[in-house]
Amino acid sequence: MALNEANHLIFVSIAAYRDPQLVPTIEDCIVKARYPERLRFGICWQHDPKEDTLPFRNDDCFRVLAVDWRESKGACWARSEVMKLWRGEDWFLQVDSHCRFAWDWDVKLLDEIGQTGSAKPILSTYASPFTPGGNEVLLDGPLQMAFQGFTEDGIPHMKPLAIADWQNLTKPRRARFLSAGFLFAPGTFVDEIGYDPELYFLGEEAAMTLRAFTSGYDLFHPQETIVWHDYGRPTAPKHWGDHTEDTEGKTGRVWHELDSLSKEKVRRLLAGQPVESYGLGSARSLEEYEAYAGLSFKLRKAQDYTVRGGEPPNPEAAEDWTGQIFRWMVRITFDRSALPAAAFDDAEFWYVGVKDESGAEIYRQDIPQSQLVALPSGESKIVLICEFESGAIPAAWTVWPVSRSLGWLTRIEDTLGDVDYAIVHEDDAE
């Protein structure tokens, strides 16, 4: 894609749900831009009309859709509403309402998207983490979106993974997936792809990835860190926490009804079935995406190259590659005393990972505090059971707890013995 020195306008889409970080995010976005006069903001501001105030509302560069939070239908609905505020700007940037930006982020995005050489590029990834506060640390090191596994519904979900040797990258890296929280594309993305308001949460990024890819868009990860994201937010209001049967004054369906309908639509997309609206494109096929990404949606399997986070497109694989992917059961055993007290008393979650003989991560699970409380407190030995699919033999494990107040704690790791893992056959699973 050739770029010139024209006055490129960037439409910045932000869906904010009762988020006190909305204003700091907008301010940081403006301050860090080299050409702030080129920015146009579209904001779906889901808030309490009696309490919240928002500056900028009388500024012509801001288009604000104010919605009582009780009437919200979720993040995807809000992002779809924001797209209605687009007025033909050259570029479209979608970010969450709790982000920070690199200096000259606008110029960096345009430079990188020009380096892709694609006529229809998308720059997107999981933004690097930061914590809001008086001393905000923005660390270098861009992330990629790596395949993590399939849900019980057969929907792929992703995890952040560091890009190895990113300092030596000279152009953006090709990507398998796009992120909803940081997406930069030509403005035509709004007309050609749009945003499905019927999606809710899980499956949003998989659906958007497939729709963009099959519509001819090429996916890339930035070669440097451009946006940071606050992933903690333990006390922040969430749509699914607010929109339950007990919520007073809410309108429409409760969150789990929206989520169920959303997952059903995503499952139809993954199967290549027609949907009523916001379906797959016609420039590429679903099978072409599976070959590019190294996935089989029907069999819910992923190639080892995919699991390791290798840059797509995947090398050509044998026709029967799915037969070389096995379901493993791994048993991790360690002494309770190997972890500090905060891993139990103040736990946010435990990272649990399994690696193959080369040291590549082939499985990851973050066990939340709600599940950790079920661990037997009177036993000195802790046993964790992991089930996953891989073509590689499990060789080692890591358990790395995160404390709510102290952050990452001491991690423990060890190798797996022959009795600690086994292949699960279909007959065993029945």
Side-chain angles (χ1 to χ4, degrees), residues 280-299:
L280 300 179
S282 57
R284 296 180 179 129
S285 68
L286 181 67
E287 291 74 21
E288 285 179 285
Y289 175 77
E290 290 179 307
Y292 169 85
L295 296 170
S296 170
F297 295 126
K298 180 179 180 180
L299 299 178

Side-chain angles (χ1 to χ4, degrees), residues 21 41 57 64 79 117 133 135 155 158 267 305 310 316 322 350 387 393:
Q21 279 295 314
F41 289 85
R57 295 194 69 179
V64 180
R79 288 171 174 143
N135 183 27
I155 298 174
M158 287 69 80
R267 285 194 294 266
Y305 183 84
E316 186 173 352
T322 57
W350 289 5
E387 287 194 36
I393 299 174

Side-chain angles (χ1 to χ4, degrees), residues 104-115:
D104 296 335
W105 63 264
D106 51 340
V107 174
K108 290 180 177 180
L109 284 176
L110 289 171
D111 286 346
E112 290 214 17
I113 215 160
Q115 291 171 357

Side-chain angles (χ1 to χ4, degrees), residues 34-142:
R34 184 182 298 182
Y35 301 108
E37 67 276 8
R38 300 180 184 177
L39 305 183
R40 303 293 183 269
F41 289 85
I43 302 168
C44 184
W45 181 36
Q46 301 151 91
H47 70 124
D48 187 336
K50 297 179 180 179
E51 298 178 2
D52 299 338
T53 59
L54 186 67
F56 323 117
R57 295 194 69 179
N58 296 321
D59 190 318
D60 292 340
C61 293
F62 289 82
R63 302 156 205 166
V64 180
L65 176 63
V67 180
D68 189 315
W69 64 266
R70 300 164 189 83
E71 300 175 4
S72 170
K73 300 178 182 68
C76 297
W77 168 83
R79 288 171 174 143
S80 177
E81 291 295 299
V82 173
M83 281 189 168
K84 297 176 182 178
L85 305 176
W86 177 70
R87 297 177 184 169
E89 285 82 5
D90 305 280
W91 300 97
F92 174 80
L93 172 65
Q94 179 172 286
V95 292
D96 283 340
S97 55
H98 31 275
C99 289
R100 297 293 183 268
F101 297 80
W103 287 103
D104 296 335
W105 63 264
D106 51 340
V107 174
K108 290 180 177 180
L109 284 176
L110 289 171
D111 286 346
E112 290 214 17
I113 215 160
Q115 291 171 357
T116 65
S118 169
K120 300 177 73 172
I122 296 176
L123 278 177
S124 184
T125 193
Y126 286 145
S128 297
F130 88 104
T131 301
N135 183 27
E136 296 180 350
V137 179
L138 306 180
L139 299 176
D140 284 335

Side-chain angles (χ1 to χ4, degrees), residues 371-383:
Q371 295 179 22
L372 293 172
V373 296
L375 293 173
S377 58
E379 298 181 9
S380 60
K381 291 284 187 183
I382 291 179
V383 179

Side-chain angles (χ1 to χ4, degrees), residues 26-286:
I26 294 172
E27 292 174 340
D28 196 73
C29 183
I30 295 171
V31 168
K32 301 282 186 61
R34 184 182 298 182
Y35 301 108
E37 67 276 8
R38 300 180 184 177
L39 305 183
R40 303 293 183 269
F41 289 85
I43 302 168
C44 184
W45 181 36
Q46 301 151 91
H47 70 124
D48 187 336
K50 297 179 180 179
E51 298 178 2
D52 299 338
T53 59
L54 186 67
F56 323 117
R57 295 194 69 179
N58 296 321
D59 190 318
D60 292 340
C61 293
F62 289 82
R63 302 156 205 166
V64 180
L65 176 63
V67 180
D68 189 315
W69 64 266
R70 300 164 189 83
E71 300 175 4
S72 170
K73 300 178 182 68
C76 297
W77 168 83
R79 288 171 174 143
S80 177
E81 291 295 299
V82 173
M83 281 189 168
K84 297 176 182 178
L85 305 176
W86 177 70
R87 297 177 184 169
E89 285 82 5
D90 305 280
W91 300 97
F92 174 80
L93 172 65
Q94 179 172 286
V95 292
D96 283 340
S97 55
H98 31 275
C99 289
R100 297 293 183 268
F101 297 80
W103 287 103
D104 296 335
W105 63 264
D106 51 340
V107 174
K108 290 180 177 180
L109 284 176
L110 289 171
D111 286 346
E112 290 214 17
I113 215 160
Q115 291 171 357
T116 65
S118 169
K120 300 177 73 172
I122 296 176
L123 278 177
S124 184
T125 193
Y126 286 145
S128 297
F130 88 104
T131 301
N135 183 27
E136 296 180 350
V137 179
L138 306 180
L139 299 176
D140 284 335
L143 300 175
Q144 61 177 306
M145 296 177 67
F147 173 81
Q148 180 162 338
F150 286 99
T151 69
E152 293 180 355
D153 299 300
I155 298 174
H157 57 110
M158 287 69 80
K159 63 184 178 183
L161 187 66
I163 298 176
D165 200 27
W166 63 270
Q167 295 91 337
N168 292 321
L169 290 178
T170 58
K171 60 181 180 179
R173 192 178 192 270
R174 284 194 175 268
R176 282 183 184 81
F177 310 103
L178 60 78
S179 165
F182 168 32
L183 185 158
F184 185 66
T188 51
F189 179 88
V190 177
D191 275 338
E192 295 180 357
I193 306 300
Y195 225 90
D196 189 346
E198 295 180 346
L199 298 185
Y200 187 71
F201 184 67
L202 184 61
E204 169 191 7
E205 293 173 332
M208 291 296 294
T209 294
L210 286 178
R211 293 184 52 237
F213 184 91
T214 57
S215 297
Y217 282 85
D218 299 318
L219 314 178
F220 298 89
H221 292 321
Q223 67 190 35
E224 61 180 309
T225 309
I226 298 178
V227 175
W228 287 261
H229 184 280
D230 176 18
Y231 291 98
R233 312 179 65 237
T235 62
K238 308 295 195 304
H239 188 275
W240 51 85
D242 284 343
H243 291 257
T244 67
E245 289 84 350
D246 300 327
T247 302
E248 183 179 351
K250 68 168 179 56
T251 63
R253 291 186 169 99
V254 296
W255 81 269
H256 60 80
E257 293 175 343
L258 295 170
D259 187 50
S260 178
L261 292 170
S262 171
K263 288 177 180 176
E264 175 56 31
K265 188 169 190 178
V266 174
R267 285 194 294 266
R268 295 204 304 272
L269 279 175
L270 295 176
Q273 298 173 359
V275 294
E276 297 78 10
S277 57
Y278 297 94
L280 300 179
S282 57
R284 296 180 179 129
S285 68
L286 181 67

